[in-house]
Amino acid sequence: MANAAVVGAQWGDEGKGKIVDWLAARADLVVRFQGGHNAGHTLVVGDKDYKLRLLPSGIVRGKHALIGNGVVIDPFALLAEIDEMVSKGLTITPNNLKIAENAHLILSVHAAVDQALEIAKGANKIGTTGRGIGPAYEDKVGRRGIRVCDLAFPDTLKDQLERLLSHHNPQLKRYGVEEIALDKLLASLLEIAPRILAHAVPAWKILDEAKNKKQNILFEGAQGFLLDIDHGTYPYVTSSNTSVGQGAAGSGAGPQAVGYVLGLAKAYTTRVGAGPFPTELFDAVGEEIGRKGHEFGTNTGRKRRCGWFDAVLVRQASKISGMNGIALTKLDVLDGFKELKICTAYELNGQKLDYLPAAPAVQAALTPVYETMPGWSGTTRGVRKTEDLPQEAKNYVKRLEALIETPISVLSTSPEREDTILLHDPFAG
């Protein structure tokens, strides 16, 4: 058995969907272990685009897929996504898609609270997608959440929902938002319960059986390390741990099962929503990167902020997450730039820093220290062999590798599945 985990090393949107799909060819089981349907993984296969939010990306390869207990699931969004993928020709049944019976649910009340709170923050808003992920995780920690297994017990479920709404409805009323009706919410959940429960399993047993069969397991993260609730740019973060440590806790596998840790990073940097971004570009270069990289959110359509590659952040992400290698994506977006800049340190009040401090006020005051490298006039798009890359592109990759102190194991040169250069196979250990 050789397992691997794929996690983002920046602020998300690094191209995890394509890389997970590509690696899934060598996996038997693909597992999502955190986040919700705020994640957007886009896979391009021939003339079809698959935009996945909750489904593990391996499902497109026909692999067995598992949604772990660390994921918060909007059951209506999940069923809609299943129906959409089936309409595109995929086979998704309880045989190849399993859901942890102890995963928590996102309900309509969570989205209503999420949106109301974000509006109330005004200029201080976090940039949440408003889909209820944060409030659902809050209810999980507050021990009033609704889990997949609860759908099987209507009488108990009604009492649980009543307790949940007694907590949230006063909040909604305070913000002038219509309260959620208990009977309507209960009826909607009971209507879809059979479809969801058909997929429900004790996830840890599925993983243990895969281990005993010596199958390859691929753990799929969502968002990126810098959005981690503990290690990210708090409070401008998501509501879960996005680092690889969550792979074990959010799936029911032991920590030793995670295996090779592959971090993903774009050849530049992007961010959606508010929060610090030391290398952000506000000029024509930033606009050009965004245009060439099609930098708009898969889920929200929001324009992404763009900037130069930040080696300080990726190095920090790699060390905290214990990354064994990095998959560098969207190298082709940098084709044609005369020069490229890499952030190698920060300056704060005349002092150089080689890490990102935790305090938001300090993060906002940082000035990037850049190293400049020549760009390349040739193309990297669609290249599948290292030797076919322009020499300047190879030099750029090598310099990034040295600065982040982590080997670059994979290069992605377009959204297409096979336009990928494998330098080290994660399933080889």
Side-chain angles (χ1 to χ4, degrees):
M1 179 181 69
N3 298 339
V6 173
V7 291
Q10 295 164 320
W11 277 291
D13 307 310
E14 300 96 348
K16 291 181 291 297
K18 171 193 167 170
I19 298 299
V20 170
D21 167 65
W22 186 71
L23 288 173
R26 293 181 275 289
D28 300 293
L29 175 64
V30 182
V31 185
R32 266 285 304 273
F33 58 81
Q34 51 77 218
H37 62 310
N38 54 345
H41 292 175
T42 301
L43 285 66
V44 179
V45 183
D47 60 351
K48 289 186 179 179
D49 286 1
Y50 300 93
K51 297 182 186 300
L52 305 180
R53 299 160 184 85
L54 280 166
L55 291 171
S57 298
I59 204 86
V60 177
R61 286 272 187 184
K63 301 293 180 174
H64 285 267
L66 173 64
I67 300 176
N69 57 276
V71 179
V72 284
I73 302 168
D74 181 326
F76 301 95
L78 175 60
L79 293 178
E81 187 175 332
I82 289 173
D83 292 342
E84 180 187 349
M85 292 304 114
V86 169
S87 73
K88 289 177 178 275
L90 300 186
T91 298
I92 303 177
T93 71
N95 291 326
N96 67 342
L97 174 65
K98 311 291 185 185
I99 304 172
E101 62 181 0
N102 56 334
H104 281 249
L105 298 179
I106 300 172
L107 306 178
S108 56
V109 67
H110 294 129
V113 168
D114 199 1
Q115 293 163 24
L117 289 173
E118 189 75 346
I119 291 170
K121 289 171 186 169
N124 297 317
K125 63 184 180 181
I126 299 297
T128 170
T129 59
R131 300 191 176 203
I133 283 85
Y137 274 119
E138 287 181 40
D139 282 343
K140 176 179 179 177
V141 175
R143 295 182 289 274
R144 56 180 171 266
I146 309 298
R147 300 183 297 171
V148 169
C149 58
D150 295 327
L151 297 177
F153 303 94
D155 293 339
T156 309
L157 178 60
K158 183 175 182 179
D159 293 338
Q160 289 175 294
L161 288 174
E162 189 168 22
R163 186 165 69 95
L164 184 70
L165 293 178
S166 70
H167 176 80
H168 288 301
N169 271 338
Q171 246 185 327
L172 293 177
K173 186 176 181 180
R174 187 164 65 250
Y175 288 110
V177 178
E178 184 179 355
E179 297 178 42
I180 303 297
L182 171 61
D183 291 343
K184 185 177 179 181
L185 179 57
L186 177 61
S188 66
L189 287 173
L190 292 180
E191 183 180 353
I192 64 166
R195 284 189 68 187
I196 295 294
L197 290 170
H199 297 269
V201 296
W204 67 271
K205 281 183 65 64
I206 300 296
L207 291 164
D208 188 57
E209 289 166 7
K211 174 186 173 183
N212 292 335
K213 293 176 183 176
K214 301 190 183 303
Q215 293 182 333
N216 292 341
I217 304 171
L218 182 58
F219 295 88
E220 177 182 3
Q223 288 89 41
F225 176 85
L226 295 167
L227 294 175
D228 186 278
I229 188 69
D230 285 307
H231 301 292
T233 48
Y234 189 91
Y236 301 98
V237 293
T238 194
S239 303
S240 61
N241 286 110
T242 60
S243 62
V244 75
Q246 183 65 14
S251 65
Q256 74 283 356
V258 173
Y260 188 100
V261 182
L262 181 67
L264 262 79
K266 286 177 180 173
Y268 49 97
T269 310
T270 63
R271 176 166 200 170
V272 171
F277 186 170
T279 65
E280 184 173 8
L281 294 169
F282 300 95
D283 57 10
V285 173
E287 288 293 324
E288 181 69 359
I289 290 173
R291 185 191 65 79
K292 292 178 67 177
H294 306 289
E295 294 299 349
F296 295 89
T298 299
N299 267 329
T300 63
R302 289 186 295 180
K303 184 179 180 181
R304 296 180 185 131
R305 301 154 63 189
C306 298
W308 294 119
F309 188 90
D310 193 328
V312 180
L313 292 183
V314 176
R315 182 173 63 241
Q316 189 162 321
S318 178
K319 290 182 181 297
I320 295 174
S321 260
M323 294 174 185
N324 301 104
I326 292 288
L328 191 69
T329 64
K330 292 201 167 186
L331 184 65
D332 56 300
V333 173
L334 298 182
D335 288 355
F337 285 96
K338 289 184 178 180
E339 63 176 29
L340 305 171
K341 293 184 179 181
I342 307 167
C343 176
T344 59
Y346 304 128
E347 189 174 282
L348 179 67
N349 300 324
Q351 179 185 2
K352 265 192 179 181
L353 297 177
D354 63 355
Y355 71 100
L356 182 74
V362 176
Q363 292 174 354
L366 297 174
T367 300
V369 176
Y370 286 120
E371 175 180 307
T372 302
M373 293 190 69
W376 50 90
S377 56
T379 183
T380 65
R381 189 171 181 85
V383 172
R384 299 181 182 182
K385 295 180 181 179
T386 309
E387 55 266 33
D388 293 336
L389 291 171
Q391 185 58 49
E392 294 86 353
K394 288 188 274 189
N395 293 343
Y396 181 72
V397 171
K398 280 293 181 185
R399 185 57 182 151
L400 296 188
E401 189 174 55
L403 289 169
I404 63 179
E405 299 176 8
T406 308
I408 291 179
S409 302
V410 179
L411 287 174
S412 173
T413 58
S414 94
E416 292 290 339
R417 174 185 274 176
E418 300 305 327
D419 290 343
T420 310
I421 302 171
L422 180 66
L423 304 175
H424 177 83
D425 188 347
F427 284 117

